[in-house]
């Protein structure tokens, strides 16, 4: 079951008012005149959606994992990858600011919505529950990056902000759990307005949050069984709604024709010529007149895809290193562009040095992929895999967990061999982690998965990056693209630092270990 954790940007509020005494501001909204009607609640709720993370932020997180590297070596992501960032690095402050801006908007809403005498109480309860759920989303992202952060649920002023302290993650996770479980009662199972929070979206946010919480990244909240049970229950609730189902063909998930398909639980809506996205401009081929891909996928991801017979490439004698992308799990070709693939304009993608004069050839410019590989999909998914993983970690209903994994493997256009005879928890864990890696490749999840599984120090330390493999045009010898780009991950990097400016403004905010 798919979940698109991209997000919807709805219009803000534009209302004007004036009187002869100018006692009410005319250049901005005033709570003195605004909070009166059901529509006021709806418009204010709409304005919260604009603070959801951009596609660049969501997808770009995998740059800072083992499945990709940053293309642009002056980026903040490069500093994070190399463990040379500090608390003044911009990505930390930007992330902090963006999430708290959303929280502030939610708190303003919650502080004022009761001023309305509703005409349609059920409607106002619904949009209020959307806001409560979105506030939970903002907090879930904050704690996954920074650990303990201030839990603020009311509008506050500058003086109050300077007295805040960090709230333990356990309290924030319990807050999220309570808020979403109270909100779902007022949310619809489905809505004609695509992109709004529904029961499925709320439960999916809760499932993802609890799954991350089980990893105890801070080391101070060791309740894995509680969190896995919560994740299982929430994921099961999404499935039980009967609203969502797997799209038969994996490749069709990434086409315009299948926008808002039956796998989509929560997505970000765009409008042609009104509100467009720049995904291709930030992740696409330079030959398509784009800025180049900020993400250069690595062979770590490529090699994770099994052969078509369901074996690892090292275990399958039929695997041909000179034709490394043939006879593989079909999801490989739906996830990555490799040399010889057709680009959206019908031209051939070719990054191989000496093979063409394409603008995509490695070394042609600083903008091209450093590995010769490009991301091909721009979508986010995981509900069935969450339901499976929670069962595996709880060591309950493992047959159901394997069933969910096989449902994903058995899409008609994927048709990978059914996994059977797997009974041990360790083998099931390996199976579900493999499926998360290949099913969700380059969708922003790997960054968080390696942290909650506590494997980042093993997989994200690299002395060199390995990219595409191809046959030399003249010699016929196998060529493997490598570069000396280094990734470094230490224990401190499981949590990002509290941004420097925040600690200058508020001396009560302590710093995460290793970042002083």
């Amino acid at each position: 079951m798919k979940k698109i954790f991209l997000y919807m940007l709805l219009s803000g509020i534009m209302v004007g008012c004036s009187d002869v005494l100018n006692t009410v501001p005319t250049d901005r909204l005033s709570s003195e005149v605004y909070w009166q009607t059901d529509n006021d609640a709806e418009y204010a709720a709409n304005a919260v959606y604009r603070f959801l993370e951009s596609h660049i932020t969501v997808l770009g997180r995998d740059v800072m994992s083992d499945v990709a590297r940053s293309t642009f070596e002056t980026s903040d992501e490069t500093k994070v990858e190399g463990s040379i960032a500090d608390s003044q690095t911009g990505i930390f402050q930007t992330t902090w600011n963006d999430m708290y801006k959303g929280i502030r908007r939610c708190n303003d809403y919650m502080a004022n919505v009761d001023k309305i005498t509703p005409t349609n109480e059920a409607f106002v309860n619904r949009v209020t529950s959307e806001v409560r759920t979105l506030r939970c989303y903002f907090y879930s992202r904050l704690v996954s990056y920074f650990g303990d952060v201030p839990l603020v649920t009311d509008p506050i002023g500058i003086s109050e902000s300077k007295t805040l302290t960090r709230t333990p993650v356990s309290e924030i996770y319990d807050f999220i759990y309570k808020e979403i479980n109270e909100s779902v009662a007022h949310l619809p199972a489905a809505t004609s307005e695509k992109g709004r929070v529904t029961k499925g979206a709320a439960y999916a946010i809760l499932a993802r949050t609890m799954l991350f919480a089980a990893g105890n990244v801070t080391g101070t909240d060791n309740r894995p069984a509680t969190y896995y049970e919560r994740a299982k229950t929430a994921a099961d609730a999404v499935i039980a709604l009967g609203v969502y189902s797997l799209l038969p063909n994996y490749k069709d998930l990434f086409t315009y024709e299948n926008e808002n398909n039956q796998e989509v639980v929560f997505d970000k809506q765009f409008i042609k010529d009104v509100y467009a996205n720049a995904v291709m401009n930030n992740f696409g081929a330079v030959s398509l007149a784009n800025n180049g891909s900020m993400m250069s996928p690595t062979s770590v991801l490529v090699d994770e895809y099994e052969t078509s017979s369901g074996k690892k490439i090292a275990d399958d004698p039929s695997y041909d290193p000179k034709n490394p992308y043939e006879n593989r799990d079909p999801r490989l070709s739906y996830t990555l562009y490799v040399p010889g693939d057709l680009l959206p304009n019908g031209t051939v993608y070719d990054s191989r040095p000496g093979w063409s004069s394409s603008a995509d050839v490695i070394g042609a410019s600083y903008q091209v992929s450093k590995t010769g590989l490009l991301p091909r999909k721009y979508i986010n998914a995981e509900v069935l895999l969450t339901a499976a993983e929670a069962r595996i970690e709880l060591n309950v209903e493992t047959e159901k967990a394997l069933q969910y994994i096989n449902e994903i493997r058995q899409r008609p256009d994927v048709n990978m061999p059914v996994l059977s005879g797997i009974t041990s928890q360790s083998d099931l864990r390996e199976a579900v982690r493999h499926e998360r890696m290949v099913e969700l490749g380059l969708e922003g999840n790997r960054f968080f998965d390696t942290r909650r599984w506590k494997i980042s120090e093993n997989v994200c330390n690299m002395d060199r990056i390995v990219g595409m493999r191809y046959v030399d045009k003249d010699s016929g010898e196998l060529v493997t693209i490598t570069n000396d780009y280094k990734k470094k991950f230490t224990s401190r990097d499981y949590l990002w630092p509290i941004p420097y400016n925040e600690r200058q403004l508020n001396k009560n905010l302590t710093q995460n270990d290793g970042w002083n």
Side-chain angles (χ1 to χ4, degrees):
M1 187 166 296
K2 285 280 184 174
K3 164 160 75 73
I4 299 185
F5 248 166
L6 303 183
Y7 304 102
M8 181 180 185
L9 174 62
L10 299 176
S11 58
I13 313 165
M14 298 184 66
V15 178
C17 58
S18 63
D19 62 23
V20 294
L21 298 177
N22 287 325
T23 56
V24 177
T26 60
D27 61 341
R28 61 190 181 275
L29 292 173
S30 168
S31 60
E32 297 173 25
V33 298
Y34 182 73
W35 294 95
Q36 298 181 16
T37 69
D38 294 5
N39 284 343
D40 291 342
E42 180 183 16
Y43 299 152
N46 290 353
V48 174
Y49 283 84
R50 70 181 293 261
F51 294 100
L52 289 165
E53 292 163 296
S54 72
H55 64 281
I56 296 175
T57 298
V58 172
L59 302 176
R61 291 303 185 237
D62 273 356
V63 164
M64 296 172 285
S65 74
D66 55 340
V67 299
R69 60 153 287 189
S70 178
T71 299
F72 306 119
E73 297 184 4
T74 57
S75 68
D76 284 352
E77 287 81 359
T78 296
K79 295 177 183 177
V80 174
E81 284 185 89
S83 195
I84 57 172
D86 58 37
S87 63
Q88 297 187 68
T89 301
I91 192 172
F92 305 139
Q93 185 71 64
T94 299
T95 301
W96 180 281
N97 288 349
D98 288 348
M99 295 300 96
Y100 272 115
K101 285 177 184 177
I103 290 167
R104 175 58 190 253
R105 184 62 61 91
C106 293
N107 290 343
D108 286 342
Y109 177 102
M110 297 302 298
N112 287 288
V113 69
D114 286 343
K115 295 176 181 177
I116 297 172
T117 302
T119 302
N120 184 339
E121 186 174 359
F123 174 78
V124 174
N125 285 340
R126 190 199 89 189
V127 295
T128 299
S129 293
E130 292 177 23
V131 172
R132 291 176 74 183
T133 300
L134 291 172
R135 181 168 60 179
C136 289
Y137 170 75
F138 296 134
Y139 271 118
S140 74
R141 297 300 265 188
L142 273 172
V143 295
S144 67
Y145 293 124
F146 300 103
D148 301 348
V149 296
L151 177 60
V152 184
T153 58
D154 297 301
I156 60 174
I158 293 176
S159 59
E160 293 172 282
S161 70
K162 292 182 178 181
T163 66
L164 294 173
T165 58
R166 299 173 68 183
T167 305
V169 291
S170 59
E171 294 181 28
I172 299 176
Y173 285 133
D174 287 344
F175 169 80
I176 291 171
Y177 180 71
K178 178 177 181 292
E179 285 285 293
I180 290 184
N181 277 306
E182 290 179 358
S183 296
V184 289
H186 303 290
L187 293 170
T191 175
S192 59
E193 294 181 277
K194 301 300 181 183
R196 301 197 81 95
V197 173
T198 60
K199 286 184 188 295
Y203 278 129
I205 290 170
L206 179 59
R208 170 185 279 192
T209 303
M210 294 298 105
L211 199 66
F212 187 87
N216 188 20
V217 175
T218 63
T220 60
D221 186 22
N222 190 27
R223 296 184 289 170
T226 296
Y227 290 132
Y228 281 126
E229 187 61 44
R230 290 176 178 180
K232 171 182 172 294
T233 301
D236 285 352
V238 179
I239 297 167
L241 289 170
V243 175
Y244 314 103
S245 60
L246 289 174
L247 197 65
N249 291 323
Y250 186 77
K251 67 177 180 180
D252 291 341
L253 287 167
F254 318 118
T255 61
Y256 288 117
E257 310 88 80
N258 286 292
E259 291 177 338
N260 302 314
N261 65 72
Q262 70 261 28
E263 290 202 28
V264 177
V265 179
F266 192 30
D267 67 352
K268 184 170 185 175
Q269 299 287 308
F270 296 92
I271 305 173
K272 184 179 180 181
D273 300 326
V274 176
Y275 179 65
N277 71 68
V279 171
M280 286 299 295
N281 198 42
N282 289 283
F283 293 97
V286 175
S287 62
L288 298 180
N290 296 314
N291 288 333
S293 176
M294 63 175 285
M295 177 188 293
S296 297
T298 70
S299 66
V300 171
L301 178 60
V302 174
D303 294 347
E304 185 69 19
Y305 289 92
E306 298 168 340
T307 64
S308 56
S309 61
K311 298 179 180 179
K312 296 183 181 298
I313 58 174
D315 299 331
D316 193 337
S318 70
Y319 170 71
D320 182 2
K322 290 191 175 183
N323 294 286
Y325 312 115
E326 295 182 6
N327 300 316
R328 302 289 294 278
D329 181 334
R331 289 173 291 186
L332 171 56
S333 64
Y334 304 146
T335 301
L336 294 169
Y337 280 115
V338 302
D341 285 345
L342 288 180
L343 292 169
N345 67 351
T347 62
V348 175
Y349 175 69
D350 198 346
S351 54
R352 297 172 295 184
W355 277 76
S356 73
S357 58
S358 169
D360 300 317
V361 170
I362 287 180
S365 71
Y366 74 92
Q367 297 165 292
V368 303
S369 169
K370 298 298 191 294
T371 61
L373 304 166
L374 280 181
R376 189 168 193 158
K377 62 177 184 179
Y378 314 101
I379 198 166
N380 213 314
E382 72 190 286
V383 171
L384 279 180
L385 290 172
T386 296
E389 184 176 351
R391 283 171 166 80
I392 291 166
E393 294 302 330
L394 291 167
N395 209 16
V396 299
E397 300 175 3
T398 52
E399 299 87 352
K400 176 68 75 174
L402 197 56
Q403 174 191 324
Y404 286 152
I405 292 171
N406 281 323
E407 282 183 36
I408 292 169
R409 291 172 64 87
Q410 284 283 289
R411 290 178 195 263
D413 71 335
V414 174
N415 197 29
M416 290 297 291
V418 170
L419 299 180
S420 62
I422 301 176
T423 57
S424 74
Q425 187 181 42
S426 60
D427 288 345
L428 286 164
R429 182 180 291 134
E430 181 181 352
V432 76
R433 292 185 179 187
H434 164 79
E435 286 301 317
R436 284 191 66 87
M437 193 165 174
V438 300
E439 174 78 9
L440 312 179
L442 306 183
E443 296 177 5
N445 289 283
R446 183 70 175 171
F447 172 87
F448 300 102
D449 283 349
T450 63
R451 282 159 171 75
R452 65 185 180 86
W453 292 334
K454 302 290 180 63
I455 63 171
S456 294
E457 287 165 284
N458 297 327
V459 302
C460 294
N461 275 303
M462 302 179 179
D463 290 330
R464 61 174 188 156
I465 300 297
V466 180
M468 69 175 176
R469 301 178 180 95
Y470 67 97
V471 174
D472 184 80
K473 190 174 185 179
D474 298 321
S475 68
E477 296 297 318
L478 179 66
V479 177
T480 300
I481 293 295
T482 61
N483 41 75
D484 292 333
Y485 189 91
K486 290 178 173 56
K487 284 178 178 276
K488 182 180 178 182
F489 194 100
T490 66
S491 59
R492 74 160 193 173
D493 297 312
Y494 279 102
L495 293 174
W496 283 0
I498 304 302
Y500 175 84
N501 287 343
E502 299 305 316
R503 299 190 66 228
Q504 295 302 300
L505 294 169
N506 181 0
K507 301 299 183 182
N508 293 314
L509 295 178
T510 58
Q511 185 55 281
N512 285 324
D513 290 346
W515 290 98
N516 286 313

